[in-house]
Amino acid sequence: MTTQTAFPVLPGLGAVLMGERAALLENSTGGKVFINGQLAYVWGPGQDGLRRLAASQLVDTGAAQVNEVAAAFGINTESLRRWRKSLQGAGLVGLAPVKKGPKRPSLLTGEKAAEIQRVRAGGASLRATAEATGVSTDTVRRAMAMTVSTEAAPAATDLEGMAAGPQPQLPILPEPVPRTAERAAARSGLLECAEPVFAPAARIRHAGLFLALPALETTGLLACAKEVYGSLPDGFYGLETILIDAVLRALAGEARAEGATRFDPVELGRVLGLDRAPEVKTIRRRISQLVQDGKAQELIAALAKHHLTATGPEGEDLAAVLYVDGHVRAYQGTKKIGKIYSTRLKFPVPATEETWVTDAHGSPIFVVMAEPGASLATELRDLLPELRTAVGDDRRVLVGFDRGGWSPDLFKHMAERGFDVLTWRKGASKNVEEKLFAEVTHIDEHGQTRKWSVADTVVDLPLAATKKTGEVLNIRQLSRIVAATGGGTRQIHILTTDLTMGAGEVVYRMGSRWRQENQFRYARLRFELDSHDSYASTDDNEDRMVPEPAKKKAYQKVVAARNAHAEAAAIADANLLALKTPAEGAGEVTVTSAMHNQVMAPVWEAENALATAEKVHKSIPAKVRLGDLNPGQQVLDTETKLIHHGIRMAAYNTAVTIAREIRTNTGYKRADQEAHALMRQALNQTGDIDTTDPGYLTITLNPLPTKAKTAAIKELCAHLTSTETRYPGTQLILRYKINNHSQQPTAITSP
């Protein structure tokens, strides 16, 4: 007997194999199941009962295994178990889909809502309105909520006309567009990625997240990631989907991959245009595939270049002023991680340190993982070439940083390479004469005029590398008089190599460095900046030279010995003076050698102790091998963290952009104080998805709790619509509007 290959034709038609005997072929016209090459089950569109019957009997007859059938039909094994149980208990009737939705018609029709609004508008209480109209108080509340609009509430006669007009219908939370065939193809490695597909739907929980897409496009995350990585390996969830999902989750308050467990995958999937959003295991796997390329720093550099080549909200050059600072991320695990002093926690902790760069507005644009134990001055020197690449030309850039980067040699190095320094003066310095102080002003980007009393002078800083030759760096110093902690006043000094910028602007730019601290604080609170996205680690380079802690302790002993010697010398001088100065009326006093030696004995003893301490300090090397000092030390994985940092940077800049649009393009009176709060409220708003207009994806958000906020978001929607942003991966142009419930058609329940 000859042997025939099973299913010689079906795989070529797109059929999904279930073991060695069965195959499933589904399309828009229905589905078919073949057993041993013979047609066994057939169903048409909407005949879900017959489809469930086929799946159940494939298992009951032994034609295929449970997991094979569940995978082919795009369901989980628990659903398949329930289908089989229903078939055994009630037969084919038990497999019929149960229609979802209200069990009786809603009392709250358009006419009833208009009636309730008329009674309530007359001053009746909730209970009186409910009794007068024959409904419950909850129904009255829903009817009144339907009147929230960005404009004045329409008259009752208008409401009646609206209710009587033609009303298109959107299904309430319909089943997502089935992607069974694509998922099966993805499992077989035959799908590059699933494209977004949207269907009309009402009452979508995360509809407000669509507002973030125009601002997300301006960050360049998707374009830069595509440029650096190209694409992810073939699979259902592509590169754009993974990144959009990560940014939207961060904006919704869950920046870590584990945060995906706090979302309904189906609900979040509607915003992504998929049947389900990726879950934790999938997110980690897809990010790890990016990690294998080792291009995270290239992604960060591409994002920085994209950001700095754009213009600011007022048309200013975003590369004109940059701020640099280090951020310590504490580690609480059991691995042997080097300790770093945390200024926030006020003590050394096992941690990693990152060097961040932000623009003049405090928006993050660049980050690198600092070498363990490296100073900010060292990191700044190493960072300059990458900043120059991101800037893209030879223009001078003002770089602000705090006293951690203090180094006159670094200042000279930066000035020679086209970077101007902006920092605080470190260490003791002479006060500037009060007659040199004069009032200076600066008008900020919000039009507010600021005034300070400033002395603009030039000082000389000795260069450490040329102390023997006496070479110094001439640098501009701007001094201010401020209140001292214990009362009174003191002078603080700002140093800069920029000789053209006005004194008022220099003071303003130095104070604006706190925007970077605010960015750290906001990102820790909203985007989990200090979280560990990966606990993987590698052995540190044991041949790396690190500071010898014993050297510092020995120097402390030298300082103590110097102080003891100075104190002993002062006491000896006083005692010798007393010996040589006789009391009044006494005769001449002769100071003998024994008396002199007795007075000077403590001084000589202190000199010997100082010489010994200096000798010990000099004998200790400044640096030693890490392997000799702390063998087995490890460093945390940086590639995964940098990828997530790129995502968090995009999420932060997206949030800042939306908040800025609320301040500049809406009439919200409290925008300066509540722009970010209103932005977060809008992103968490429910709404509808409408695809009935070809080429457009219309997002209709439900009104916010107050008319003022609703009006502001309506203006924001109009502005975002004018950008004509396309949903990533599609040709659909996004349009936004606010749902006026008094005009809103009654939604129907999907079958």
Side-chain angles (χ1 to χ4, degrees), residues 375-583:
S375 66
L376 181 58
T378 302
E379 288 297 307
L380 270 167
R381 186 182 292 267
D382 296 338
L383 193 62
L384 294 182
E386 298 186 66
L387 289 182
R388 179 55 64 193
T389 301
V391 171
D393 52 38
D394 295 331
R395 77 187 103 164
R396 294 194 71 83
V397 179
L398 183 66
V399 180
F401 48 91
D402 63 11
R403 293 179 178 88
W406 174 266
S407 170
D409 294 272
L410 172 65
F411 302 162
K412 181 181 178 182
H413 177 81
M414 293 176 63
E416 292 172 347
R417 284 156 180 77
F419 293 92
D420 285 316
V421 172
L422 180 66
T423 188
W424 298 105
R425 183 162 186 173
K426 184 178 181 180
S429 59
K430 294 181 179 180
N431 286 341
V432 178
E433 297 179 12
E434 293 190 11
K435 65 180 182 181
L436 298 177
F437 284 84
E439 184 177 278
V440 298
T441 61
H442 176 70
I443 302 176
D444 63 17
E445 59 267 25
H446 302 296
Q448 183 178 356
T449 301
R450 302 173 182 272
K451 299 179 180 180
W452 302 276
S453 179
V454 176
D456 194 345
T457 59
V458 176
V459 295
D460 296 333
L461 299 180
L463 299 175
T466 58
K467 281 186 176 180
K468 293 182 179 180
T469 62
E471 184 179 352
V472 296
L473 172 67
N474 297 320
I475 192 168
R476 183 183 180 189
Q477 175 177 288
L478 295 98
S479 307
R480 290 182 56 210
I481 299 177
V482 298
T485 304
T489 60
R490 64 186 181 94
Q491 290 188 8
I492 57 175
H493 310 287
I494 301 171
L495 298 181
T496 181
T497 55
D498 190 324
L499 304 178
T500 60
M501 183 177 290
E505 185 175 359
V506 172
V507 175
Y508 175 77
R509 294 299 183 187
M510 191 71 252
S512 295
R513 199 201 69 78
W514 279 101
R515 293 179 176 180
Q516 188 171 31
E517 300 291 344
N518 293 336
Q519 181 257 324
F520 289 151
R521 188 178 298 110
Y522 189 92
R524 281 198 302 268
L525 177 65
R526 301 292 179 184
F527 299 123
E528 300 178 286
L529 177 65
D530 288 343
S531 66
H532 292 273
D533 299 294
S534 171
Y535 285 90
S537 64
T538 57
D539 292 335
D540 203 341
N541 179 15
E542 294 196 346
D543 292 329
R544 181 166 60 86
M545 302 302 290
V546 296
E548 169 62 83
K551 185 83 170 179
K552 183 177 181 180
K553 294 180 179 179
Y555 182 72
Q556 292 173 348
K557 292 182 178 180
V558 170
V559 173
R562 286 175 181 170
N563 293 336
H565 177 266
E567 183 178 356
I571 295 173
D573 289 343
N575 291 337
L576 286 175
L577 181 62
L579 288 175
K580 295 177 181 179
T581 307

Side-chain angles (χ1 to χ4, degrees), residues 214-215 217 661 717-726 733-734 736:
E217 184 178 6
E661 297 296 345
C717 288
H719 174 71
L720 295 180
T721 299
S722 68
T723 64
E724 295 189 345
T725 303
R726 297 184 183 274
I733 297 177
L734 288 162
Y736 304 92

Side-chain angles (χ1 to χ4, degrees), residues 183 186-189 191-192 229 231-239 242 245 249 257-258 260 277-293 533-534 640 643-644:
R183 287 189 176 275
R187 284 191 292 270
S188 303
L191 181 69
E192 181 179 353
Y229 292 105
S231 63
L232 282 167
D234 291 349
F236 188 78
Y237 297 104
L239 178 61
I242 291 296
D245 168 74
R249 279 190 292 101
E258 291 79 359
E279 299 186 46
V280 177
K281 184 185 295 184
T282 301
I283 295 170
R284 286 177 173 168
R285 176 169 52 83
R286 297 304 255 175
I287 294 295
S288 67
Q289 290 169 344
L290 296 179
V291 170
Q292 293 172 5
D293 290 342
D533 299 294
S534 171
T640 303
I643 292 175
H644 282 280

Side-chain angles (χ1 to χ4, degrees), residues 9 42 109 126 162 183 198 256 285 343 357 387 438 447 454 469 471-472 496 550 559 588 631 644 658 666 693 699 735:
V9 178
V42 180
T109 62
L126 282 176
M162 294 170 185
R183 287 189 176 275
F198 298 93
R256 301 182 66 194
R285 176 169 52 83
T343 55
V357 181
L387 289 182
V454 176
T469 62
E471 184 179 352
V472 296
T496 181
V559 173
E588 183 177 350
H644 282 280
I658 298 175
T666 73
D693 194 353
I699 309 301
R735 296 192 301 194

